[in-house]
Amino acid sequence: MNLVGLAWRNIWRRKRRTAITAVSIGFGVFLAVTFSGVGDYSYTNMINASADMGLGHITIEALDYNQSPAPDKNIDQVATIQQSLQRIPGVENSYARILGQGMFASAHKSVGGAFLAIDPNSETSKHNLFLCSLEEGALFDANSRGVIVGRGMAKKLKLRLGKKLVYTTTDKNGEIVSEIARVSGIFSTGVKAVDGAFVLLPINSVRRTVGYSKNEASLVAVMIKDQRYTTQVLASVRQQLAQIDPSSKQIEILSWRETQSEVAGLISLDRSSNYISQVLIGLLIAAGILNTLLMSVLERTREFGVMMALGMAPHTLFFLVIIESVCLAFLGLGFGVLLTTPWYFYLNRVGIDMSGAMGGDYTAGGVLIDPVLKLYLYPETIAAILFAVFLLTLLSGLYPAWKAGRTPPVESLKAM
Amino acid sequence: MLKGFFLSQFVLADEIAGTTQRASAILRQIDDLWRGNSSHSQFSMKIKTAHYTRTLALEGWSLGTQKTLVRILSPKKEQGVSSLKSGKHLYTYLPRTDRTIRLTSSMMMGSWMGSHFTNDDLVQESRREEDYDIDISFEGERDGQGIIEFTLMPKEDAAVVWGKVQLVVLAESLLPVKEVYYDEDLKQARTMLFSELKILGGKIRPATMRVVPSDKPEEYTEITYQLLELDIPLADSFFSINQLKHR
Amino acid sequence: MKIILLAPRNLIRSWQRSLVTTLAMGFAGVIMILFGSLMDGMLQASERSATMMNTGELQLHAKSYLDDPDLYTVITNEAALLEKLSAAGVSASPRLFSFALAAAGTSSAGVQLRGITPSLEAQVTEIHKHLSQGHWLEEADAKGVVLGRKLARSLNINLGDEVILLGQSSDGAMANDIFQVRGILKAVGDNIDRAGFFMLSTSFRELMVVNEGVHEIAMKRKDSSETLAATQQRVQDIAVSYEVKDWRSLMPVIARVLELADAQTMIMLSITYVAVGMVILNAMLMSVFERIREFGIMKALGVNPWQIVQLIFAEAMLQAFVASLFALVVGAGLALRLQERGIDFSNMLSATSFAGIALEPIWYARVSFNSLVLPIVFLFLMTLLAVIYPAIKAAVIKPVDAIHHY
């Protein structure tokens, strides 16, 4: 006898019940997609945005620089490092940068802050949040004495495009050095702390100022094509760079999890609460499915008894119910996909603008947050959701199926 | 500038080259007038701000342009506090805690001993001939005195915040009268006034310098020399961190 | 026949079916209670960590202080003010601030001096509980200081070490003294982590020559049932010439993040409720429709439709009642346990801070009246709604159709 056909017919004997069950499974898919999608999207965004603030997904820097940065903790052989990085699959780009603290002064005032020295020939707004939020002016030339300042600092120091800014910092020997720069651009990220205290400088001029050679920098920021593979790429970067001349300075290779631990902490906290919510809702839906299947087995006790009396083996009954639950699972998944696809594509393309609820300063842990809530799912997350919902349904079917297989023929006939 | 004053080399100590030959020549004369290889001085510093007025008595030593040591004699509470400039480093010795602290770049814009000078003013080399194009912008009678007015325009690459500096000296004696600092929009930012001519270190010099920030004209810091000795024997080791403690 | 007697008998007769339905509903109730308590706990924790670490619920400043913090911009006559505040039911902690250079060994760093009175500060914030090493300030220990986590690291300093402060006192003199590190804080927010340098306000006054006045008074309601706005108004009436701000306007970003989290929580909660509704609907629909034949026979035996509706509702309510009991016992039990013990994430993350508020790696539930009662009310409401349709159907069905229904 065709068990699948029988099971299919069985589940349609109670159309309403099947429909409700399928809807609740579909709803489960919907919820899982929404929760995971918000997570995948916002975590990816936060991680990429924090990487774009200067340190990259992976940072190659001098030993202990992360714990206590100082101008004499620098790396050398930058060109060699960058060349070998190019060969690593998964690496999108790498940038040599100098990071430092300093005083920034105009004739009016001076403020403390930090600078990020970049190579204008290789940097674009793609991996540089400051360039991305440039409001006025343009990126400086490689050999100029340009500087891009934040809107807040420009206000405090009364700077405009073309005006002078003198910065004072400590060079690699601990000497205090001053240099002049002219404002070539003004950025505005919307974050007060960043706009008021951060500047971009051309790396060549900063190298001269702090006494670094052409091949030295504070760090090499590595951008990864897909941040999910940070761990794997980190491993291959470590392996690759271990082959570089051991006589060079001791380096440390860290991922964003170490260099931006606040962001990492926030994400894992959010992720864990997300997991718990999903588990609870999953349990709820499983309870619903279990309820349906158990009821359908209970009400068919007589029928199963008859079938057994007619010579059907208990394990066949067991499989019949299992197949029924599989059919339900497929129905539910199909419905879920129908329900979720338009929702997903709407939120993926358009999103919900939460800026009304958030106001002007979209940061958490110092990282900018996109005020538009969007969904994005990685293919494996989709697979995981579908598989999990399927498995949930199947597991919920186990107990009812076991119960069906145990129906004693005589007793159930009595139940007539 | 401040350092120049302590060194008794004044503003123009190192100013040699200028765009205009004549301006440079005059500045060189002024330079000669004030030059000393080493110095020892006693001076007072009066600081008036919206919140306090205080007067310090200080003693200073210098050797060349790289080494300067200044010590507070009074008030009692701060007696012994010393600043040592050695090259581009600035150290502060605190007798109360018996510690010497090296100032980092982030402290450079902080006030030096509560005055209108920043720590940076003390450390900056007066490399005027490197930093500025020098020109004579006025020469003749002003307020009944024969004066020469120099205009110093910062060079394109010079690490100075000012947009322009004007220096007025007496035409006859080449003694400074006034120095005005302008911002990039050529608005006044601060003014230094020199007064009280008297014999110091064997020559007539202005004994008092007053600095007035233009945005707070009621505030000032005024330095007055009581004693100045030039070209005295001083060893390099005098300006060490150890000496800072023991003096 | 008495419906009150018939309903339980019916339920007991088909006990397996009743049990399955009731358990499904009860389980849904448990999930709602757990979820509600966990979300409540999370919201409360984040709001508490926003206010209890440093900010307090309200702050008082001299008018221009927040825009331009200055050693000389003070709240004067603070003793009288503190007395009035206390009488008005507000715990208040006066604070003094200044910038200075801290040096230890060869390292130095710019710090924010924070002069406080430990006994008063403890009434407003809980920072004294957030030390990673050593102990908090003590009134008798004038030279003891407590440092932020990152500051201690960048000064390369340990417990018991000496640290030198160099600043400019209010009279323009060079303020300097040696202090001993008594404690190092946990992560409590970036500002304090990087630059927080806590000392006794008496030591602060001596060092910085600030004889009177304070820069800030942080406050907390003694009775949190009063609205913050009302307290704020009362404080404003007491301190007319000063500026009173609540923590939301002092930390707008955090307030907004919390509001957003609040909204998200409500969405999650309502989603859970929808899911619960579906489970109940399904269970009730099934348990009624399965017995439609039985109801048909009852009608054939002369039971009127109204009685059938009553019977179905009585059965449903009875099941909802048992399910609620189950949900309350199991759900509240679990939630209370989570209130005590919390869910520990510390293997996933260490104590951290974001946007200036500290996050604890342990998630505590919070069992409140709402988190217990709302799920139960919802359970009953949903059960009622779920049986309306099948009850009417059962009531109006023709006995003949009912017998053929299956």
Short mmCIF file of all heavy atoms in Angstrom, two decimals, chain A residues 16-17 20 23 31 35 67 262 265 268 272-273 276-277 280 284 287 291-292 294-295 298-299 358-359 365 403, chain C residues 16-17 20-21 27 35 153 190 253 256 268 271 274-276 278 282-283 285-286 289-290 343 345 349 353 355 363:
data_model
loop_
_atom_site.label_atom_id
_atom_site.label_comp_id
_atom_site.label_asym_id
_atom_site.label_seq_id
_atom_site.Cartn_x
_atom_site.Cartn_y
_atom_site.Cartn_z
N ARG A 16 -9.48 21.85 7.94
CA ARG A 16 -9.29 23.05 8.75
C ARG A 16 -8.09 22.90 9.67
O ARG A 16 -7.24 23.79 9.78
CB ARG A 16 -10.56 23.32 9.57
CG ARG A 16 -10.57 24.69 10.22
CD ARG A 16 -11.79 24.90 11.04
NE ARG A 16 -13.01 24.94 10.25
CZ ARG A 16 -13.94 23.98 10.25
NH1 ARG A 16 -13.75 22.88 10.97
NH2 ARG A 16 -15.03 24.09 9.55
N ARG A 17 -8.05 21.71 10.30
CA ARG A 17 -6.96 21.48 11.23
C ARG A 17 -5.60 21.52 10.51
O ARG A 17 -4.65 22.14 10.97
CB ARG A 17 -7.14 20.12 11.90
CG ARG A 17 -6.09 19.84 12.94
CD ARG A 17 -6.48 18.67 13.76
NE ARG A 17 -6.47 17.46 12.95
CZ ARG A 17 -7.11 16.35 13.29
NH1 ARG A 17 -7.85 16.30 14.36
NH2 ARG A 17 -7.04 15.29 12.52
N ILE A 20 -4.71 25.08 9.72
CA ILE A 20 -4.22 25.84 10.89
C ILE A 20 -2.79 25.44 11.23
O ILE A 20 -1.93 26.27 11.50
CB ILE A 20 -5.14 25.63 12.10
CG1 ILE A 20 -6.49 26.29 11.82
CG2 ILE A 20 -4.53 26.22 13.36
CD1 ILE A 20 -7.52 26.05 12.90
N VAL A 23 -0.45 26.83 8.76
CA VAL A 23 -0.27 28.26 9.00
C VAL A 23 0.69 28.49 10.16
O VAL A 23 1.58 29.34 10.09
CB VAL A 23 -1.63 28.95 9.26
CG1 VAL A 23 -1.41 30.36 9.79
CG2 VAL A 23 -2.43 29.00 7.98
N LEU A 31 8.60 34.06 11.39
CA LEU A 31 9.26 34.66 12.55
C LEU A 31 10.76 34.42 12.53
O LEU A 31 11.56 35.32 12.77
CB LEU A 31 8.69 34.06 13.84
CG LEU A 31 7.28 34.48 14.20
CD1 LEU A 31 6.90 33.91 15.55
CD2 LEU A 31 7.19 35.99 14.24
N PHE A 35 13.51 37.38 12.56
CA PHE A 35 14.51 37.53 13.61
C PHE A 35 15.93 37.36 13.08
O PHE A 35 16.80 38.19 13.32
CB PHE A 35 14.26 36.54 14.74
CG PHE A 35 13.09 36.90 15.60
CD1 PHE A 35 12.37 35.95 16.28
CD2 PHE A 35 12.70 38.23 15.72
CE1 PHE A 35 11.28 36.30 17.08
CE2 PHE A 35 11.62 38.59 16.51
CZ PHE A 35 10.91 37.62 17.18
N GLN A 67 46.61 46.95 23.21
CA GLN A 67 46.44 47.20 24.63
C GLN A 67 46.88 48.60 25.01
O GLN A 67 46.21 49.28 25.77
CB GLN A 67 47.22 46.17 25.45
CG GLN A 67 46.67 44.78 25.38
CD GLN A 67 45.30 44.68 26.03
OE1 GLN A 67 45.01 45.36 27.00
NE2 GLN A 67 44.43 43.84 25.48
N GLU A 262 33.83 46.23 22.17
CA GLU A 262 32.51 46.73 22.56
C GLU A 262 31.45 46.29 21.57
O GLU A 262 30.36 45.87 21.94
CB GLU A 262 32.51 48.26 22.64
CG GLU A 262 33.12 48.79 23.90
CD GLU A 262 32.65 50.20 24.20
OE1 GLU A 262 31.83 50.75 23.45
OE2 GLU A 262 33.12 50.77 25.19
N GLY A 265 30.86 42.61 21.91
CA GLY A 265 30.07 42.32 23.09
C GLY A 265 28.60 42.60 22.86
O GLY A 265 27.73 41.79 23.19
N SER A 268 27.10 39.95 20.56
CA SER A 268 26.84 38.63 21.13
C SER A 268 25.71 38.70 22.16
O SER A 268 24.96 37.75 22.31
CB SER A 268 28.09 38.00 21.72
OG SER A 268 28.77 38.91 22.50
N SER A 272 22.41 36.51 21.65
CA SER A 272 21.96 35.50 22.61
C SER A 272 20.50 35.74 22.99
O SER A 272 19.75 34.78 23.16
CB SER A 272 22.86 35.46 23.84
OG SER A 272 23.20 36.74 24.24
N SER A 273 20.09 36.99 23.11
CA SER A 273 18.69 37.22 23.45
C SER A 273 17.81 36.83 22.27
O SER A 273 16.71 36.31 22.44
CB SER A 273 18.46 38.68 23.86
OG SER A 273 18.43 39.51 22.75
N ILE A 276 17.35 33.08 22.34
CA ILE A 276 16.40 32.64 23.36
C ILE A 276 14.97 32.86 22.87
O ILE A 276 14.11 31.98 22.99
CB ILE A 276 16.67 33.35 24.69
CG1 ILE A 276 17.96 32.78 25.27
CG2 ILE A 276 15.51 33.17 25.66
CD1 ILE A 276 18.36 33.35 26.58
N SER A 277 14.73 34.03 22.28
CA SER A 277 13.39 34.30 21.75
C SER A 277 13.03 33.25 20.71
O SER A 277 11.90 32.74 20.69
CB SER A 277 13.34 35.67 21.08
OG SER A 277 13.92 36.62 21.90
N LEU A 280 12.19 29.90 22.29
CA LEU A 280 10.87 29.92 22.93
C LEU A 280 9.76 29.82 21.89
O LEU A 280 8.81 29.05 22.05
CB LEU A 280 10.71 31.19 23.76
CG LEU A 280 11.54 31.28 25.04
CD1 LEU A 280 11.24 32.54 25.80
CD2 LEU A 280 11.27 30.08 25.93
N LEU A 284 7.00 26.84 21.16
CA LEU A 284 5.57 27.12 21.09
C LEU A 284 4.96 26.48 19.85
O LEU A 284 3.91 25.84 19.89
CB LEU A 284 5.41 28.63 21.02
CG LEU A 284 4.13 29.23 21.52
CD1 LEU A 284 3.89 28.82 22.94
CD2 LEU A 284 4.18 30.73 21.38
N ALA A 287 4.79 22.82 20.12
CA ALA A 287 3.67 22.41 20.96
C ALA A 287 2.39 22.35 20.13
O ALA A 287 1.57 21.42 20.28
CB ALA A 287 3.51 23.37 22.13
N ASN A 291 0.32 18.98 19.40
CA ASN A 291 -1.09 18.96 19.75
C ASN A 291 -1.92 18.43 18.58
O ASN A 291 -2.72 17.51 18.74
CB ASN A 291 -1.48 20.39 20.12
CG ASN A 291 -2.93 20.48 20.56
OD1 ASN A 291 -3.49 19.51 21.05
ND2 ASN A 291 -3.51 21.64 20.38
N THR A 292 -1.72 18.97 17.39
CA THR A 292 -2.48 18.56 16.21
C THR A 292 -2.31 17.07 15.95
O THR A 292 -3.28 16.33 15.78
CB THR A 292 -1.97 19.32 14.98
OG1 THR A 292 -1.92 20.70 15.29
CG2 THR A 292 -2.87 19.08 13.79
N LEU A 294 -1.15 14.67 17.84
CA LEU A 294 -1.59 13.80 18.92
C LEU A 294 -3.11 13.65 18.87
O LEU A 294 -3.65 12.55 19.01
CB LEU A 294 -1.16 14.42 20.25
CG LEU A 294 -0.93 13.43 21.39
CD1 LEU A 294 0.02 12.33 20.98
CD2 LEU A 294 -0.38 14.17 22.60
N MET A 295 -3.78 14.77 18.64
CA MET A 295 -5.23 14.72 18.52
C MET A 295 -5.65 13.83 17.37
O MET A 295 -6.58 13.01 17.50
CB MET A 295 -5.78 16.13 18.28
CG MET A 295 -5.72 17.01 19.48
SD MET A 295 -6.84 16.44 20.73
CE MET A 295 -7.98 17.77 20.73
N LEU A 298 -5.21 10.31 18.38
CA LEU A 298 -6.17 9.88 19.39
C LEU A 298 -7.53 9.62 18.77
O LEU A 298 -8.19 8.64 19.09
CB LEU A 298 -6.30 10.96 20.48
CG LEU A 298 -5.14 11.06 21.46
CD1 LEU A 298 -5.41 12.17 22.46
CD2 LEU A 298 -4.95 9.73 22.18
N GLU A 299 -7.95 10.52 17.87
CA GLU A 299 -9.29 10.37 17.33
C GLU A 299 -9.35 9.22 16.32
O GLU A 299 -10.42 8.79 15.94
CB GLU A 299 -9.77 11.67 16.71
CG GLU A 299 -9.11 11.98 15.40
CD GLU A 299 -9.57 13.31 14.83
OE1 GLU A 299 -10.13 14.11 15.59
OE2 GLU A 299 -9.36 13.53 13.64
N MET A 358 14.50 57.05 16.52
CA MET A 358 15.87 57.10 17.04
C MET A 358 16.45 58.49 17.16
O MET A 358 17.42 58.69 17.87
CB MET A 358 16.79 56.26 16.18
CG MET A 358 16.57 54.78 16.38
SD MET A 358 17.60 53.80 15.32
CE MET A 358 19.18 53.98 16.12
N GLY A 359 15.92 59.46 16.43
CA GLY A 359 16.50 60.79 16.51
C GLY A 359 17.77 60.89 15.71
O GLY A 359 18.02 60.08 14.82
N GLY A 365 27.80 51.75 20.87
CA GLY A 365 29.20 51.33 21.01
C GLY A 365 30.10 52.14 20.10
O GLY A 365 31.13 51.66 19.64
N LYS A 403 2.82 6.49 19.60
CA LYS A 403 1.54 6.16 20.22
C LYS A 403 0.64 5.38 19.24
O LYS A 403 0.00 4.40 19.62
CB LYS A 403 0.85 7.47 20.63
CG LYS A 403 -0.30 7.26 21.55
CD LYS A 403 -0.34 8.33 22.64
CE LYS A 403 -1.56 8.14 23.52
NZ LYS A 403 -1.39 7.20 24.61
N GLN C 16 -7.61 11.82 27.66
CA GLN C 16 -6.39 11.98 26.86
C GLN C 16 -6.45 13.26 26.03
O GLN C 16 -5.53 14.05 26.00
CB GLN C 16 -6.22 10.78 25.93
CG GLN C 16 -5.48 9.64 26.61
CD GLN C 16 -5.13 8.56 25.62
OE1 GLN C 16 -5.95 8.19 24.78
NE2 GLN C 16 -3.93 8.04 25.72
N ARG C 17 -7.61 13.41 25.36
CA ARG C 17 -7.79 14.57 24.50
C ARG C 17 -7.74 15.86 25.33
O ARG C 17 -7.08 16.82 24.97
CB ARG C 17 -9.13 14.44 23.79
CG ARG C 17 -9.32 15.44 22.70
CD ARG C 17 -10.67 15.23 22.05
NE ARG C 17 -11.72 15.27 23.05
CZ ARG C 17 -12.87 14.60 22.95
NH1 ARG C 17 -13.10 13.83 21.91
NH2 ARG C 17 -13.79 14.70 23.89
N VAL C 20 -4.19 16.66 26.36
CA VAL C 20 -3.36 17.19 25.27
C VAL C 20 -3.70 18.66 25.03
O VAL C 20 -2.82 19.53 24.95
CB VAL C 20 -3.57 16.36 23.98
CG1 VAL C 20 -2.92 17.07 22.80
CG2 VAL C 20 -3.00 14.98 24.16
N THR C 21 -4.99 18.96 24.95
CA THR C 21 -5.40 20.34 24.70
C THR C 21 -4.95 21.26 25.83
O THR C 21 -4.36 22.32 25.61
CB THR C 21 -6.94 20.40 24.58
OG1 THR C 21 -7.35 19.41 23.65
CG2 THR C 21 -7.38 21.75 24.12
N PHE C 27 1.23 25.13 28.19
CA PHE C 27 2.60 25.35 27.72
C PHE C 27 2.72 26.73 27.09
O PHE C 27 3.69 27.46 27.34
CB PHE C 27 2.95 24.26 26.71
CG PHE C 27 4.38 24.28 26.30
CD1 PHE C 27 5.36 23.87 27.17
CD2 PHE C 27 4.74 24.72 25.04
CE1 PHE C 27 6.68 23.90 26.80
CE2 PHE C 27 6.06 24.75 24.67
CZ PHE C 27 7.03 24.34 25.55
N PHE C 35 8.73 34.55 28.70
CA PHE C 35 9.17 35.56 27.75
C PHE C 35 8.94 36.97 28.30
O PHE C 35 9.83 37.82 28.27
CB PHE C 35 8.39 35.37 26.45
CG PHE C 35 9.08 35.95 25.27
CD1 PHE C 35 10.16 35.30 24.72
CD2 PHE C 35 8.65 37.13 24.71
CE1 PHE C 35 10.81 35.82 23.62
CE2 PHE C 35 9.31 37.66 23.61
CZ PHE C 35 10.38 37.00 23.07
N ARG C 153 45.05 50.62 32.83
CA ARG C 153 45.90 49.87 31.92
C ARG C 153 46.87 50.79 31.19
O ARG C 153 48.04 50.48 31.02
CB ARG C 153 45.04 49.09 30.93
CG ARG C 153 45.71 47.87 30.40
CD ARG C 153 44.71 46.91 29.85
NE ARG C 153 43.96 47.50 28.76
CZ ARG C 153 42.83 47.00 28.28
NH1 ARG C 153 42.34 45.91 28.79
NH2 ARG C 153 42.21 47.57 27.29
N ASP C 190 32.45 54.08 28.48
CA ASP C 190 33.72 54.46 27.90
C ASP C 190 34.40 55.64 28.58
O ASP C 190 35.59 55.63 28.81
CB ASP C 190 33.53 54.74 26.41
CG ASP C 190 34.78 54.40 25.64
OD1 ASP C 190 35.35 53.33 25.92
OD2 ASP C 190 35.20 55.21 24.82
N VAL C 253 21.06 59.52 23.34
CA VAL C 253 21.32 58.36 22.48
C VAL C 253 20.89 57.08 23.18
O VAL C 253 20.18 56.24 22.61
CB VAL C 253 22.81 58.28 22.12
CG1 VAL C 253 23.07 57.07 21.24
CG2 VAL C 253 23.25 59.55 21.43
N ARG C 256 17.25 56.72 23.47
CA ARG C 256 16.62 56.29 22.22
C ARG C 256 16.87 54.83 21.94
O ARG C 256 15.97 54.12 21.50
CB ARG C 256 17.14 57.15 21.07
CG ARG C 256 16.29 58.38 20.95
CD ARG C 256 16.74 59.24 19.80
NE ARG C 256 16.37 60.60 20.11
CZ ARG C 256 17.20 61.61 20.11
NH1 ARG C 256 18.47 61.41 19.82
NH2 ARG C 256 16.80 62.81 20.40
N MET C 268 8.14 41.70 19.80
CA MET C 268 8.43 40.29 20.07
C MET C 268 7.33 39.68 20.93
O MET C 268 6.87 38.56 20.69
CB MET C 268 9.75 40.16 20.83
CG MET C 268 10.93 40.69 20.10
SD MET C 268 11.74 39.41 19.17
CE MET C 268 13.01 38.99 20.31
N ILE C 271 4.24 39.17 18.98
CA ILE C 271 4.42 38.02 18.08
C ILE C 271 4.22 36.71 18.85
O ILE C 271 3.53 35.80 18.41
CB ILE C 271 5.81 38.07 17.42
CG1 ILE C 271 5.82 39.14 16.35
CG2 ILE C 271 6.17 36.72 16.83
CD1 ILE C 271 7.18 39.41 15.76
N VAL C 274 0.62 36.18 19.37
CA VAL C 274 -0.05 35.70 18.16
C VAL C 274 0.17 34.19 18.03
O VAL C 274 -0.76 33.42 17.78
CB VAL C 274 0.47 36.44 16.92
CG1 VAL C 274 -0.06 35.78 15.65
CG2 VAL C 274 0.06 37.89 16.96
N ALA C 275 1.41 33.78 18.26
CA ALA C 275 1.73 32.35 18.15
C ALA C 275 0.94 31.55 19.18
O ALA C 275 0.40 30.49 18.89
CB ALA C 275 3.23 32.14 18.34
N VAL C 276 0.86 32.10 20.39
CA VAL C 276 0.09 31.44 21.45
C VAL C 276 -1.38 31.34 21.03
O VAL C 276 -2.02 30.29 21.16
CB VAL C 276 0.21 32.22 22.77
CG1 VAL C 276 -0.83 31.75 23.77
CG2 VAL C 276 1.60 32.05 23.34
N MET C 278 -2.58 31.16 18.15
CA MET C 278 -2.74 30.12 17.14
C MET C 278 -2.79 28.73 17.75
O MET C 278 -3.61 27.90 17.35
CB MET C 278 -1.58 30.18 16.17
CG MET C 278 -2.02 30.82 14.88
SD MET C 278 -0.62 31.48 14.08
CE MET C 278 -1.07 31.09 12.46
N ASN C 282 -6.11 26.45 17.50
CA ASN C 282 -6.00 25.12 16.92
C ASN C 282 -6.52 24.06 17.88
O ASN C 282 -7.35 23.22 17.55
CB ASN C 282 -4.54 24.86 16.56
CG ASN C 282 -4.41 23.75 15.53
OD1 ASN C 282 -5.42 23.18 15.12
ND2 ASN C 282 -3.20 23.45 15.14
N ALA C 283 -6.07 24.14 19.12
CA ALA C 283 -6.44 23.14 20.11
C ALA C 283 -7.96 23.15 20.35
O ALA C 283 -8.60 22.09 20.37
CB ALA C 283 -5.69 23.41 21.41
N LEU C 285 -10.40 24.46 18.40
CA LEU C 285 -11.12 24.07 17.19
C LEU C 285 -11.19 22.56 17.09
O LEU C 285 -12.24 21.97 16.87
CB LEU C 285 -10.42 24.62 15.96
CG LEU C 285 -10.70 26.08 15.60
CD1 LEU C 285 -9.96 26.44 14.32
CD2 LEU C 285 -12.18 26.31 15.45
N MET C 286 -10.02 21.94 17.30
CA MET C 286 -9.96 20.49 17.16
C MET C 286 -10.83 19.81 18.17
O MET C 286 -11.58 18.89 17.86
CB MET C 286 -8.52 20.02 17.31
CG MET C 286 -7.74 20.19 16.05
SD MET C 286 -6.20 19.34 16.15
CE MET C 286 -5.48 20.10 17.53
N PHE C 289 -14.56 20.35 17.15
CA PHE C 289 -15.00 19.77 15.89
C PHE C 289 -14.95 18.25 15.91
O PHE C 289 -15.74 17.58 15.26
CB PHE C 289 -14.20 20.32 14.72
CG PHE C 289 -14.76 21.61 14.24
CD1 PHE C 289 -14.07 22.80 14.40
CD2 PHE C 289 -16.02 21.65 13.64
CE1 PHE C 289 -14.59 23.99 13.98
CE2 PHE C 289 -16.54 22.84 13.22
CZ PHE C 289 -15.84 24.01 13.38
N GLU C 290 -14.00 17.75 16.67
CA GLU C 290 -13.89 16.31 16.73
C GLU C 290 -15.14 15.69 17.34
O GLU C 290 -15.48 14.55 17.07
CB GLU C 290 -12.66 15.96 17.58
CG GLU C 290 -12.19 14.56 17.36
CD GLU C 290 -11.03 14.30 18.28
OE1 GLU C 290 -10.12 15.16 18.30
OE2 GLU C 290 -11.04 13.29 18.99
N ILE C 343 20.18 34.02 33.32
CA ILE C 343 20.80 33.19 32.30
C ILE C 343 22.20 33.74 32.11
O ILE C 343 22.38 34.92 31.84
CB ILE C 343 20.03 33.28 30.97
CG1 ILE C 343 18.57 32.86 31.18
CG2 ILE C 343 20.67 32.38 29.92
CD1 ILE C 343 17.71 33.06 29.96
N PHE C 345 25.49 34.44 30.31
CA PHE C 345 26.10 34.47 28.98
C PHE C 345 27.61 34.62 29.08
O PHE C 345 28.25 34.90 28.08
CB PHE C 345 25.58 35.66 28.18
CG PHE C 345 24.14 35.55 27.82
CD1 PHE C 345 23.23 36.49 28.24
CD2 PHE C 345 23.71 34.49 27.04
CE1 PHE C 345 21.90 36.39 27.89
CE2 PHE C 345 22.38 34.39 26.70
CZ PHE C 345 21.47 35.33 27.12
N LEU C 349 30.25 36.20 26.31
CA LEU C 349 30.84 37.54 26.32
C LEU C 349 31.22 37.93 27.73
O LEU C 349 30.61 37.50 28.70
CB LEU C 349 29.87 38.57 25.74
CG LEU C 349 28.68 38.99 26.58
CD1 LEU C 349 28.20 40.35 26.14
CD2 LEU C 349 27.56 38.01 26.42
N SER C 353 30.54 47.26 27.77
CA SER C 353 29.70 48.45 27.85
C SER C 353 29.43 48.89 26.44
O SER C 353 30.22 48.65 25.54
CB SER C 353 30.43 49.54 28.61
OG SER C 353 31.59 49.91 27.93
N ALA C 355 27.78 52.35 24.24
CA ALA C 355 27.23 53.70 24.28
C ALA C 355 27.20 54.24 25.71
O ALA C 355 26.29 54.94 26.11
CB ALA C 355 25.83 53.73 23.67
N TRP C 363 21.61 37.55 32.31
CA TRP C 363 20.30 38.09 31.99
C TRP C 363 19.30 37.60 33.03
O TRP C 363 19.00 36.43 33.10
CB TRP C 363 19.92 37.62 30.58
CG TRP C 363 18.65 38.21 30.06
CD1 TRP C 363 17.85 39.13 30.66
CD2 TRP C 363 18.04 37.91 28.81
NE1 TRP C 363 16.79 39.42 29.89
CE2 TRP C 363 16.87 38.69 28.74
CE3 TRP C 363 18.35 37.05 27.76
CZ2 TRP C 363 16.02 38.62 27.63
CZ3 TRP C 363 17.51 37.00 26.67
CH2 TRP C 363 16.36 37.79 26.61
#
